[in-house]
Amino acid sequence: MLLTLLLEVGGLLFFDFIPRDIGRASADFILSVGWLTGCLFLFFHAVQVMAWDEERRTIHTILARPISRPQYVLGVFLGLAMLLFLLNCILAILGYVILALIKGSVKPIFFHHLSTGHFLLSWLGLYCIELTILSVIMLFSGLIRGGFPVLLLSISYYFICTGLPVVRDSLMALAGEGEISRSLSTILRWLTALFPDFNRFDFKALITSEQGKPFIQYFSTDIVLMITYMTVILWCASIVYQRRDLQ
């Protein structure tokens, strides 16, 4: 956490090395630090929390109380989601202050616009991606014992989600030239149901842009699909924990 705060404050020095388009580069840097921090929390804290519960027998103490296993899954998910939310709030507030300081330190030609609404929208998109990965970690932790295998699977899931759109766009371009079959294009498109396209929640380019649509248009369909996706994943995780032998 201390390193992350220092990295964000380092944005005040980072913009001195940017010859042009300082606003966009600074916003990218602040959001990238936030994303890196979220990944560290998910892969090296959330994964370990799930592993510790079983390795240290904490889960037995919890389940000894009058709560069901689905309630345990939902409770742990909400607890980690709340910590992640507080972490993002701290970083977002600090990041916005730093961007405002940078904007006030340079000429308007280098940083002419800073949208508060789109800045919050960008962090909301970031938080949605992190919650999706967290729900998948809950499922993997129920299917596999040990924190390290869950860590590897979770990182693989993230890379597939980010790499699949690139592969699909490349092959779709070839499909237009008739070099691949239509069935392969259909399979790649339907794989999005398992590996969602995280790029649809990337709004950081809008922070310094004066052009923008009403916020609801950015989330009108995607947010419903993402909530549905997380609900299904947590439901599957609850079923797995319900049937799992914890001895």
Side-chain angles (χ1 to χ4, degrees):
M1 184 65 187
L2 180 60
L3 176 62
T4 302
L5 294 177
L6 290 176
L7 283 174
E8 284 219 353
V9 174
L12 293 172
L13 302 175
F14 171 73
F15 82 91
D16 283 336
F17 298 96
I18 306 172
R20 62 181 65 179
D21 207 357
I22 294 176
R24 181 170 182 175
S26 300
D28 285 349
F29 178 78
I30 294 296
L31 267 294
S32 297
V33 171
W35 172 241
L36 175 63
T37 307
C39 287
L40 291 176
F41 178 90
L42 291 169
F43 296 137
F44 297 99
H45 180 70
V47 170
Q48 294 303 320
V49 165
M50 299 304 297
W52 288 341
D53 267 4
E54 193 162 343
E55 292 172 359
R56 300 183 180 184
R57 307 292 183 186
T58 308
I59 189 171
H60 297 274
T61 305
I62 298 174
L63 293 179
R65 301 174 183 275
I67 63 172
S68 64
R69 295 189 183 190
Q71 288 175 327
Y72 164 78
V73 172
L74 185 61
V76 173
F77 175 80
L78 291 178
L80 292 172
M82 183 58 68
L83 288 176
L84 199 56
F85 178 75
L86 294 176
L87 177 63
N88 279 296
C89 285
I90 294 172
L91 295 178
I93 293 172
L94 181 61
Y96 185 81
V97 171
I98 290 173
L99 287 179
L101 289 175
I102 293 174
K103 183 175 182 296
S105 304
V106 299
K107 296 180 180 179
I109 191 173
F110 297 116
F111 195 162
H112 64 282
H113 184 69
L114 174 60
S115 170
T116 304
H118 287 118
F119 181 80
L120 295 176
L121 179 70
S122 300
W123 278 97
L124 182 58
L126 199 66
Y127 186 58
C128 287
I129 297 173
E130 292 168 349
L131 286 183
T132 304
I133 298 176
L134 178 59
S135 65
V136 173
I137 289 175
M138 300 295 296
L139 177 61
F140 288 157
S141 298
L143 292 171
I144 303 172
R145 296 181 187 276
F148 188 67
V150 175
L151 172 65
L152 292 181
L153 281 177
S154 302
I155 293 177
S156 300
Y157 169 82
Y158 166 68
F159 281 125
I160 292 174
C161 288
T162 54
L164 184 60
V166 178
V167 175
R168 187 176 57 244
D169 292 343
S170 300
L171 293 180
M172 289 297 285
L174 293 177
E177 301 173 358
E179 297 185 15
I180 65 170
S181 63
R182 184 179 298 274
S183 58
L184 179 57
S185 300
T186 303
I187 292 173
L188 291 174
R189 187 166 58 251
W190 278 99
L191 277 177
T192 308
L194 294 177
F195 305 100
D197 184 359
F198 289 157
N199 291 329
R200 298 181 68 88
F201 291 88
D202 183 3
F203 305 112
K204 59 178 177 292
L206 298 172
I207 295 176
T208 56
S209 173
E210 294 180 351
Q211 300 178 351
K213 299 177 291 186
F215 296 150
I216 189 63
Q217 293 188 16
Y218 294 107
F219 276 119
S220 56
T221 303
D222 293 337
I223 192 67
V224 175
L225 292 176
M226 190 65 81
I227 291 175
T228 304
Y229 181 83
M230 284 190 289
T231 303
V232 171
I233 293 295
L234 290 175
W235 177 69
C236 293
S238 300
I239 293 176
V240 170
Y241 270 93
Q242 189 71 31
R243 298 182 177 182
R244 183 172 179 178
D245 179 13
L246 298 175
Q247 297 299 323

